[in-house]
């Protein structure tokens, strides 16, 4: 929803800036897949899910240096001092001018995303959720199939957790 706050920013932006509003499903995947660089300049975050999503789509990330962003981005992100517009601009220009650095950063971001699922109890659950975020449902189903092959009640508990996560993601794609 539009607010006075968002309208203020829209009035300051030129025609190179697009305010998309809330996006979900295929449109959101397309936006992530086609962005050259993902920037999050927040001064306050909980768990920055959008950073996780950008990294899952193998996008390089430029983040403010708040602890929450550093926890998620680790060594796979570039940071600028929070609220330092000059440093943000310098790092943004440098990254946009160096496609090889952006590519290496994107690859590191994807590898970091594979490690990151805070709700996962195994890397395979994290991978399946990541693949669902990327819209790769068949690969996610294969990860789930492999999980089903594991024996015991722990595997059943993890399967139920993954099934709930996949259902939630699919529900979001229908919006």
């Amino acid at each position: 929803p539009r607010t006075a706050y968002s309208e203020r920013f829209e009035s300051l932006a030129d025609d190179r800036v697009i305010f998309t509003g809330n996006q979900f499903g295929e449109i959101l995947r397309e936006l992530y897949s086609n962005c050259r660089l993902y920037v999050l300049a927040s001064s306050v975050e909980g768990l920055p899910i959008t950073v996780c999503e950008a990294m899952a789509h193998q996008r390089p990330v430029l983040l403010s240096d708040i602890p929450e962003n550093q926890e998620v981005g680790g060594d796979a992100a570039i940071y600028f001092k929070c609220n330092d517009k000059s440093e943000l601009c310098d790092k943004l220009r440098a990254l946009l001018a160096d496609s090889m650095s952006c590519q290496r950063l994107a690859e590191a971001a994807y590898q970091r995303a594979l490690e990151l699922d805070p709700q996962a109890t195994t890397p395979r659950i994290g991978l399946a959720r990541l693949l669902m975020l990327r819209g790769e449902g068949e690969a996610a189903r294969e990860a789930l199939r492999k999980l089903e092959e594991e024996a015991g009640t722990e595997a059943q508990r993890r399967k139920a957790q993954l099934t709930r996560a996949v259902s939630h993601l699919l529900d979001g794609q229908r919006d």
Side-chain angles (χ1 to χ4, degrees), residues 7-75:
E7 287 176 2
R8 177 175 170 259
F9 280 100
E10 288 179 30
S11 72
L12 296 171
D14 64 28
D15 62 352
R16 296 173 297 168
V17 178
I18 299 169
F19 291 86
T20 64
N22 294 332
Q23 299 297 323
F24 303 95
E26 187 61 32
I27 292 172
L28 181 60
R29 281 191 298 283
E30 284 294 317
L31 289 169
Y32 279 124
S33 295
N34 289 293
C35 77
R36 187 166 169 195
L37 174 68
Y38 182 83
V39 179
L40 184 65
S42 289
S43 59
V44 177
E45 283 292 327
L47 172 65
I49 297 294
T50 59
V51 174
C52 299
E53 291 173 339
M55 292 188 323
H57 284 85
Q58 203 168 347
R59 299 294 100 196
V61 293
L62 175 60
L63 309 172
S64 58
D65 65 353
I66 61 173
E68 297 83 359
N69 285 346
Q70 291 179 345
E71 183 177 345
V72 169
D75 293 337

Side-chain angles (χ1 to χ4, degrees), residues 135-152:
E136 299 174 26
E138 189 56 42
R141 283 186 279 283
E142 176 63 16
L144 180 57
R145 187 190 63 70
K146 287 180 181 177
L147 184 60
E148 287 175 332
E149 292 173 359
E150 294 178 5

Side-chain angles (χ1 to χ4, degrees), residues 70-164:
Q70 291 179 345
E71 183 177 345
V72 169
D75 293 337
I78 300 293
Y79 300 95
F80 60 92
K81 184 171 174 50
C82 187
N83 296 320
D84 187 333
K85 295 174 193 169
S86 177
E87 187 176 351
L88 167 60
C89 288
D90 290 345
K91 290 193 175 183
L92 184 57
R93 282 188 193 102
L95 281 169
L96 292 175
D98 186 352
S99 61
M100 291 304 294
S101 287
C102 273
Q103 182 60 35
R104 284 191 300 274
L105 189 59
E107 291 166 7
Y110 181 71
Q111 291 305 311
R112 175 75 176 159
L114 289 174
E115 301 168 5
L116 262 187
D117 191 342
Q119 300 196 6
T121 56
T122 69
R124 193 169 299 123
I125 289 178
L127 176 60
R129 291 182 67 186
L130 173 66
L131 292 167
M132 288 305 296
L133 283 172
R134 288 179 55 125
E136 299 174 26
E138 189 56 42
R141 283 186 279 283
E142 176 63 16
L144 180 57
R145 187 190 63 70
K146 287 180 181 177
L147 184 60
E148 287 175 332
E149 292 173 359
E150 294 178 5
T153 58
E154 179 63 16
Q156 292 171 347
R157 185 184 68 73
R158 286 183 274 157
K159 178 186 174 195
Q161 180 185 24
L162 177 58
T163 301
R164 286 191 301 275

